[in-house]
């Protein structure tokens, strides 16, 4: 069956370190993958999109990689700050459809 | 721009009652979506629309109906609420220029069915 897996355990990291979050998928052939940030009590906010033919995408302190062989995307936050504490969601999009399938999210806590 | 707005923000229903959740967007987006978010389940797509007057089923459509009579509005209806529909509901919209474009989410509606 199709599945998207993100670390269900919360990730605690010290301020200033690089946080790495994982999104693994099975039985999908996504053309695009997005990452969103969600704060408690709020809707998700878009961060980055990466296409299947792109290996890496960067935006300020954020970096996303996409390995279609491993069926995995990694999301990195460098020089992490307490304000980066939130839940991060990955979402897969398959060509020919109008919808995304979301992972369950990973809660990140950056300790001061 | 207000972006995506949802009303109401909170609602408590008794089993069997009906209600309509309203989503409005002022970005002239073609695509609109309704999701529910439950602990440990992530966001699951209920219904979506790719343009005014169109609707389609998502992953978990049972027990819900939708309508898109105006481009800027997307309504989600529960005809006979059940406790299993207790959840946080999010509406989202995206630009129709590319079907992989980012989604803009509303603030959510927290629904409890007793």
């Amino acid at each position: 069956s199709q599945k998207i897996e993100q670390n269900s355990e919360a990730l605690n990291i010290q301020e200033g370190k690089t946080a790495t979050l994982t999104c693994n998928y099975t039985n999908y052939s996504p053309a695009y993958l997005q990452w969103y940030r969600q704060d408690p009590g709020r809707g998700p906010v878009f961060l980055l999109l990466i296409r299947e033919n792109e290996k890496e995408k960067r935006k300020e302190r954020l970096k996303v990689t996409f390995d279609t062989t491993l069926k995995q995307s990694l999301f990195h936050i460098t020089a992490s700050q307490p304000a980066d504490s939130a839940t991060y969601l990955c979402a897969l999009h398959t060509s020919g459809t109008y919808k995304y399938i979301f992972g369950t999210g990973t809660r990140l806590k950056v300790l001061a | 721009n207000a972006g995506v707005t949802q009303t109401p923000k909170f609602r408590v229903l008794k089993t069997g009652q009906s209600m309509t959740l309203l989503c409005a967007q002022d970005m002239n987006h073609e695509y609109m979506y309704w999701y529910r978010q439950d602990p440990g389940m992530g966001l699951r797509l209920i219904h979506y629309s790719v343009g005014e007057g169109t609707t389609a089923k998502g992953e978990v459509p049972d027990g819900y109906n939708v309508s898109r009579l105006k481009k800027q509005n997307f309504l989600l209806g529960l005809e006979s609420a059940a406790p299993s529909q207790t959840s946080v509901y999010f509406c989202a919209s995206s630009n129709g220029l590319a079907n992989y474009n980012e989604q803009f989410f509303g603030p959510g509606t927290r629904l409890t069915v007793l």
Side-chain angles (χ1 to χ4, degrees), chain B residues 34-36 44-47 57-64:
Chain B
W34 275 108
Y35 294 90
R36 59 178 289 174
R44 291 182 293 168
L45 183 64
I46 304 171
H47 286 281
K57 293 180 180 179
E59 296 175 75
V60 289
D62 294 342
Y64 305 95

Side-chain angles (χ1 to χ4, degrees), chain A residues 33-38 43-50 57 59 62 75 89 91 100 102, chain B residues 100-105:
Chain A
L33 190 147
Q34 295 181 342
W35 283 88
Y36 287 79
R37 169 185 172 139
Q38 186 174 22
V45 174
F46 172 80
L47 296 173
L48 281 168
L49 175 145
I50 188 165
K57 203 76 170 283
K59 180 182 175 183
L62 308 180
F75 177 79
L89 307 169
Y100 274 86
F102 281 82
Chain B
Y100 53 81
N101 277 352
E102 67 179 280
Q103 296 186 33
F104 293 81
F105 283 82

Side-chain angles (χ1 to χ4, degrees), chain A residues 81-100:
Chain A
Q81 304 165 0
D84 294 326
S85 299
T87 296
Y88 291 86
L89 307 169
C90 68
L92 306 183
H93 180 279
T94 304
S95 285
T97 71
Y98 297 97
K99 51 191 181 182
Y100 274 86

